[in-house]
Amino acid sequence: MIGLLGGTFDPIHYGHLRPAQEVYRDLGLESLRLIPCATPPHRRPPLASAAQRLRMVELAAPEFPGFIADDREVRRGGVSYTVPTLLSVRDDIGDEPLCFILGSDAFNSITTWHRWQQLFALAHLVVVQRPGSPRGPLPAWAAPRVCTRAEELADQSAGKILFMSVVPQDISATDIRAAIARGETPPADRLPPPVWDYIHRHHIYRSHSS
Ligand code: ATP
């Protein structure tokens, strides 16, 4: 099985990386692709450029064996919808099981995503708890897809939903950007040192409050 974690990654931090590492280990994934978006559909434009966010992902990945920085959304440009990304990954991997990892905040709004029903033909969803975003009641459309054992994901290439408990990481990119804008150095347990070094050297997030 292959895992994907997509995001704005403005910047990438351990709140993205550590839960993804737990998923990688617990599901015995072959690799985990980190895919920074070009333009995010559902939020304000990022402060760092797509090239900078991709570079930060490339700097973060080596700390986590099996993680790969994947530039396909940045190369494609424009608004990064997930379905075309999954179609493009499918072209590369054939019918191997594919797990799209997302936080509970993202899952709670998934029915607002472009062509969201098509996600299930292309990937499984693995939902990790994000502190401050408790999962709402299980929607009726989701119930038939939910599985409770990780092994069930390997039985088919797409279409299931697994809720996984992970060690909570109370870290947000918004807080990191705000701390940097105040002139602070984010604590070392928030983001990989090479990512902080890059932010610092390129003066990213210095003059903004969010
Ligand atoms: P912000 O903190 O500014 O809201 P973000 O980190 O939520 O930014 P993205 O980079 O787009 O924004 O997040 C990518 C994915 O990582 C999403 O699925 C999100 O739910 C998940 N995620 C982000 N932070 C955490 C966290 N602390 N714990 C679990 N999942 C997270």
Side-chain angles (χ1 to χ4, degrees), residues 175-192:
D175 291 350
I176 291 173
R177 293 192 301 271
I180 296 168
R182 290 193 300 268
E184 296 165 16
T185 299
D189 63 352
R190 299 278 138 135
L191 73 177

Side-chain angles (χ1 to χ4, degrees), residues 122-134:
L122 296 165
H124 300 301
L125 296 190
V126 176
V127 184
V128 297
Q129 184 60 49
R130 180 171 188 178
S133 296

Side-chain angles (χ1 to χ4, degrees), residues 18 47 62 66 72 89 96 123-124 138 147 151 156 168 179-180 210:
R18 291 190 189 122
L47 296 182
R72 74 188 66 220
V89 173
E96 194 168 343
H124 300 301
L138 187 67
C147 64
E151 303 81 68
Q156 59 188 66
I180 296 168
S210 63

Side-chain angles (χ1 to χ4, degrees), residues 26-91:
D26 291 1
L27 300 187
L29 299 179
E30 185 183 315
S31 61
L32 192 144
R33 294 171 188 237
L34 299 165
I35 310 188
C37 66
T39 301
H42 289 297
R43 55 200 300 161
R44 280 189 294 171
L47 296 182
S49 70
Q52 288 174 325
R53 291 179 290 106
L54 173 62
R55 187 67 197 128
M56 291 189 271
V57 169
E58 289 168 346
L59 290 166
E63 185 184 329
F64 296 83
F67 283 26
I68 296 166
D70 185 318
D71 66 354
R72 74 188 66 220
E73 290 191 348
V74 173
R75 267 190 289 119
R76 193 166 78 225
V79 177
S80 299
Y81 295 113
T82 299
V83 166
T85 302
L86 295 177
L87 283 165
S88 136
V89 173
R90 269 276 161 239
D91 278 348

Side-chain angles (χ1 to χ4, degrees), residues 74-208:
V74 173
R75 267 190 289 119
R76 193 166 78 225
V79 177
S80 299
Y81 295 113
T82 299
V83 166
T85 302
L86 295 177
L87 283 165
S88 136
V89 173
R90 269 276 161 239
D91 278 348
D92 293 348
I93 67 167
D95 59 6
E96 194 168 343
L98 180 61
C99 297
F100 183 77
I101 302 162
L102 70 174
S104 46
D105 57 321
F107 179 76
N108 287 341
S109 63
I110 200 160
T111 58
T112 66
W113 292 19
H114 186 56
R115 293 158 64 188
W116 68 276
Q117 291 97 333
Q118 289 178 34
L119 296 170
F120 301 100
L122 296 165
H124 300 301
L125 296 190
V126 176
V127 184
V128 297
Q129 184 60 49
R130 180 171 188 178
S133 296
R135 185 156 58 83
L138 187 67
W141 60 263
R145 299 193 176 279
V146 172
C147 64
T148 47
R149 291 182 312 112
E151 303 81 68
E152 290 176 63
L153 299 179
D155 294 343
Q156 59 188 66
S157 56
K160 304 257 187 199
I161 302 173
L162 179 71
F163 295 99
M164 256 189 72
S165 1
V166 294
V167 176
Q169 303 290 337
D170 194 5
I171 304 174
S172 91
T174 305
D175 291 350
I176 291 173
R177 293 192 301 271
I180 296 168
R182 290 193 300 268
E184 296 165 16
T185 299
D189 63 352
R190 299 278 138 135
L191 73 177
V195 174
W196 166 241
D197 186 52
Y198 181 86
I199 292 169
H200 189 61
R201 278 191 292 113
H202 291 83
H203 312 293
I204 309 171
Y205 310 125
R206 282 273 189 82
S207 53
H208 296 271

